[in-house]
Amino acid sequence: MNAIYYTAFLMAFSIGELLGGVVGGRIKVLKEGLVSSLISLFGLSFILISITREPLVDVLLSLLVGIGTSLVNIPLDTLLTSLIPNKMMGRTNSIIQIFLLSSSPVMATLYGILATLFGIINVLFAVGVFGILMGIPSFFVIKKFKGMKEEDVQKFIA
């Protein structure tokens, strides 16, 4: 029965991302309060996943985290795309893709080591606390990014 719940947990996250993508694609204005709240809610979801013993609750939380992931990523990607000068877009996208693809095995290894040393429940709880805490500074970082212009990015990159 554990394999069925694990599969449902992973599938719920993917379905949530799809649902969130439909909703997130309609968001025209990035609201830093919404994004920082969603980041904190991710953290709370991880804490709830670490302390609940009901697999169906975990599946529901996974669905909600998937929805929230898209609701955070789409506006942030849109903001990033609008700030990066066109002549640097290809190079920037390549660097981002290299980072994302290479970080997956590194993070999986790190997670595996931490889960072995401290237990999965403790790692999920720590991720949750970190997520809640990251919601606060994300509000100010996003607010600052929204005030940036293409010229500011060129100065930063050059």
Side-chain angles (χ1 to χ4, degrees):
M1 199 62 151
N2 288 341
I4 292 172
Y5 284 125
Y6 181 70
T7 302
F9 181 83
L10 294 177
M11 190 172 68
F13 180 79
S14 297
I15 292 170
E17 281 190 311
L18 181 64
L19 294 173
V22 171
V23 175
R26 297 172 190 219
I27 296 174
K28 303 296 183 210
V29 178
L30 177 66
K31 295 178 175 73
E32 54 272 2
L34 173 65
V35 173
S36 61
S37 296
L38 285 171
I39 292 171
S40 292
L41 286 174
F42 290 160
L44 180 60
S45 295
F46 277 99
I47 289 173
L48 291 174
I49 289 169
S50 73
I51 61 176
T52 61
R53 298 296 175 254
E54 283 297 320
L56 293 177
V57 172
D58 290 348
V59 170
L60 177 63
L61 289 168
S62 179
L63 178 76
L64 295 175
V65 169
I67 292 170
T69 299
S70 291
L71 291 178
V72 167
N73 286 339
I74 291 172
L76 287 179
D77 286 347
T78 302
L79 176 63
L80 185 65
T81 302
S82 70
L83 290 174
I84 297 172
N86 286 336
K87 65 182 180 181
M88 302 183 91
M89 186 62 73
R91 196 171 350 150
T92 304
N93 283 339
S94 295
I95 291 169
I96 290 170
Q97 286 301 315
I98 288 169
F99 175 76
L100 290 175
L101 292 174
S102 64
S103 69
S104 291
V106 172
M107 292 306 294
T109 303
L110 179 63
Y111 175 76
I113 291 169
L114 291 174
T116 301
L117 291 173
F118 303 109
I120 293 171
I121 302 300
N122 294 329
V123 172
L124 289 175
F125 190 85
V127 167
V129 170
F130 180 74
I132 289 172
L133 294 175
M134 287 309 300
I136 299 165
S138 68
F139 176 85
F140 299 104
V141 170
I142 295 167
K143 192 173 187 108
K144 185 169 183 163
F145 272 168
K146 284 176 66 175
M148 291 181 78
K149 299 196 177 0
E150 192 174 298
E151 304 83 48
D152 300 328
V153 176
Q154 283 180 324
K155 289 178 194 174
F156 179 73
I157 295 175

